[in-house]
Amino acid sequence: MKKQKKRKPRISQCMIVKNEEKNIERALSWGKEIMWEQIVVDTGSTDRTVELAEGLGAKVCHFDWIDDFSAAKNYAIEQAKGDWIVFLDADEYMTARDARELHGLIQDIERGQASYLVIYMDYVNESEDGTLTRMGNNMRVFRRHRDLRYKGRIHEYVEKGSGEWEASDMLNGCGELTIYHTGGTDEAFLDTGKRERNIRLLQKELEERPDDYFMLGYLGNAYVTMGEKELAAGAYERAVRAYEKAGRGPVRQNEHISGIFASLLECLCERGEREERILEVYEEAVQAVTGESDFDYVVGMHFIGTGDWERAVRHLERALAQYQEYGNLFWGERLSRNLMAAREYLTVACFNVGQREKCAEHCILFLREDRFAMGILKVLLAAFRSWLSGEEGARQTLELLGKLYDLSAVRDRLFVLKAARETGHGELESLVWSLFSPQEQMALAGKI
């Protein structure tokens, strides 16, 4: 008897929408070639969203909005007939390459009869200028299964109805597959109606589940967008206590609690809270989540602001070391956005505590990535002069700079010349000037 060929897994793309005419075409196009069906649940659009979705071949259903994102998403899942669900918002997409990779991955899972229920993927925010910021990872691809449904009126998440998630339930596709979000967090923050709605829904959730540290953290975030730092700090404090009450031990990876602790530390620093309190929360944070760079980054920048250079050095060095080892695997969202600034402040802090050689090391690391950072080069020259003085010191300095700059190039020579002049390093300035040909010196006379 001829062996029956196993059919390819069927993938259902689902989304809930309202007034998404500017995004709906891309939302239904990026993965069309791998989707078996596309289901759009409209919650009350007044623009051309429904018309465009139907024109693109999607099955459009309607759902009366009841202030509950999970209810709308679960309704969409109930309309699906595929083996797997891909649930992205209209302002999210995957690249064509990642879509094909995802399809192949699901095929491999099915052929291997693996028991995975969900696939984790990186989640990245893409700003209008093309800047990418990793926001963590997300569970947007999962089997169509009666036990898998969304939970929460807002900031909803997929829950396994039969119990806690196990490692064998999840396939980690982070680093291989990415979801890009283009909605623009700033735009959402500026929409007062959305912010007030979010707070209302979060408060409803917390009436039923007052110790849900996820929702408490999101409530703190919502208050931050409203400029209510006192209320935000209170929500973050409640979230931390709820996390402790749940008996959660130290973990290597928990992006949500990392974000809560980092946000709480930020609020305390901005409010000018007592230093003892800031350090108390910092110690709680590093006990709760190991390997997280944002805790030390926030505290280090606080000490930069207070002029406590010694403690600033200690915390910023620790933040950068953890980031170098783990990147933003755990969270590191703040440091990843401000990496070069953190390195710049660290060089200044090292200089101010008299750690000139360490300062020079950090400057060199910085300049290897951005050699035309004038402020950093000036700090480096100041550090060099503390132990490389006189004409011989200038020669040694120039030799070291030759490893960072192409001194045969006019642009690099001019840059180093300007830095030497502005730092009053006369011997170095003379040496660099001598590298210019007589013709170049004549052309530059009076211009620099």
Side-chain angles (χ1 to χ4, degrees), residues 315-327:
H315 284 286
L316 289 179
E317 281 191 331
R318 189 168 187 265
L320 290 167
Q322 290 182 120
Y323 190 82
Q324 184 175 3
E325 183 172 357
Y326 302 112

Side-chain angles (χ1 to χ4, degrees), residues 105-347:
L105 185 58
I106 290 174
Q107 283 187 310
D108 290 344
I109 292 172
E110 293 295 297
R111 288 169 183 159
Q113 297 297 308
S115 61
Y116 294 121
L117 295 176
V118 299
I119 299 174
Y120 264 107
M121 286 184 276
D122 280 325
Y123 189 72
V124 170
N125 189 68
E126 181 180 359
S127 62
E128 289 186 3
D129 64 3
T131 301
L132 300 178
T133 306
R134 183 178 181 274
M135 306 299 288
N137 55 43
N138 235 305
M139 186 191 298
R140 301 298 190 86
V141 179
F142 49 92
R143 287 185 187 272
R144 186 172 66 87
H145 191 285
R146 64 179 182 277
D147 275 351
L148 298 184
R149 289 295 184 270
Y150 278 96
K151 182 177 180 179
R153 289 180 177 85
I154 188 169
H155 298 300
E156 61 284 357
Y157 53 90
V158 177
E159 183 180 64
K160 183 183 177 186
S162 58
E164 292 289 323
W165 290 104
E166 299 174 7
S168 59
D169 295 330
M170 306 177 188
L171 178 64
N172 188 355
C174 296
E176 303 294 330
L177 301 170
T178 302
I179 297 169
Y180 295 90
H181 171 254
T182 62
T185 53
D186 290 340
E187 182 182 336
F189 288 169
L190 292 172
D191 188 326
T192 303
K194 284 186 177 180
R195 292 185 298 184
E196 291 175 348
R197 177 207 64 190
N198 292 353
I199 290 174
R200 185 180 72 252
L201 296 183
L202 285 164
Q203 288 171 337
K204 279 187 178 181
E205 281 293 299
L206 288 165
E207 285 174 7
E208 298 174 10
R209 295 180 286 149
D211 291 330
D212 188 322
Y213 72 90
F214 274 86
M215 293 301 154
L216 285 165
Y218 285 127
L219 181 62
N221 295 344
Y223 281 135
V224 167
T225 69
M226 299 287 281
E228 299 285 356
K229 295 298 179 70
E230 290 285 339
L231 292 174
Y236 292 135
E237 288 271 14
R238 287 173 60 197
V240 166
R241 301 306 153 230
Y243 181 80
E244 293 171 346
K245 184 178 177 180
R248 305 284 183 173
V251 294
R252 289 290 282 182
Q253 183 176 2
N254 186 320
E255 293 181 350
H256 195 71
I257 197 62
S258 287
I260 289 171
F261 268 116
S263 297
L264 175 56
L265 283 168
E266 214 164 46
C267 283
L268 295 177
C269 292
E270 289 175 2
R271 286 168 46 190
E273 187 65 58
R274 291 178 301 106
E275 211 161 83
E276 293 81 0
R277 178 60 184 144
I278 292 171
L279 292 176
E280 179 183 309
V281 172
Y282 165 79
E283 290 298 334
E284 286 185 69
V286 297
Q287 290 297 319
V289 187
T290 58
E292 173 53 61
S293 58
D294 268 0
F295 305 152
D296 282 280
Y297 167 70
V298 172
V299 174
M301 292 305 294
H302 166 71
F303 286 128
I304 288 287
T306 63
D308 190 336
W309 306 112
E310 189 171 335
R311 285 200 282 190
V313 168
R314 185 162 66 247
H315 284 286
L316 289 179
E317 281 191 331
R318 189 168 187 265
L320 290 167
Q322 290 182 120
Y323 190 82
Q324 184 175 3
E325 183 172 357
Y326 302 112
N328 49 15
L329 175 63
F330 302 132
W331 184 241
E333 188 263 341
R334 288 164 176 78
L335 181 55
S336 64
R337 282 191 284 110
N338 301 285
L339 192 57
M340 299 303 277
R343 289 175 174 167
E344 184 172 3
Y345 280 115
L346 178 56
T347 64

Side-chain angles (χ1 to χ4, degrees), residues 54-118:
E54 289 176 336
L56 290 162
K59 175 185 176 183
V60 178
C61 306
H62 297 273
F63 182 84
D64 291 334
W65 180 246
I66 56 173
D67 269 358
D68 191 325
F69 284 93
S70 283
K73 287 190 172 182
N74 288 334
Y75 176 77
I77 292 172
E78 288 161 10
Q79 312 313 306
K81 304 300 181 185
D83 305 300
W84 285 77
I85 304 288
V86 172
F87 216 125
L88 270 63
D89 293 337
D91 59 359
E92 298 169 340
Y93 73 95
M94 294 176 67
T95 64
R97 184 197 71 83
D98 278 6
R100 290 190 293 271
E101 290 288 328
L102 174 62
H103 188 258
L105 185 58
I106 290 174
Q107 283 187 310
D108 290 344
I109 292 172
E110 293 295 297
R111 288 169 183 159
Q113 297 297 308
S115 61
Y116 294 121
L117 295 176
V118 299

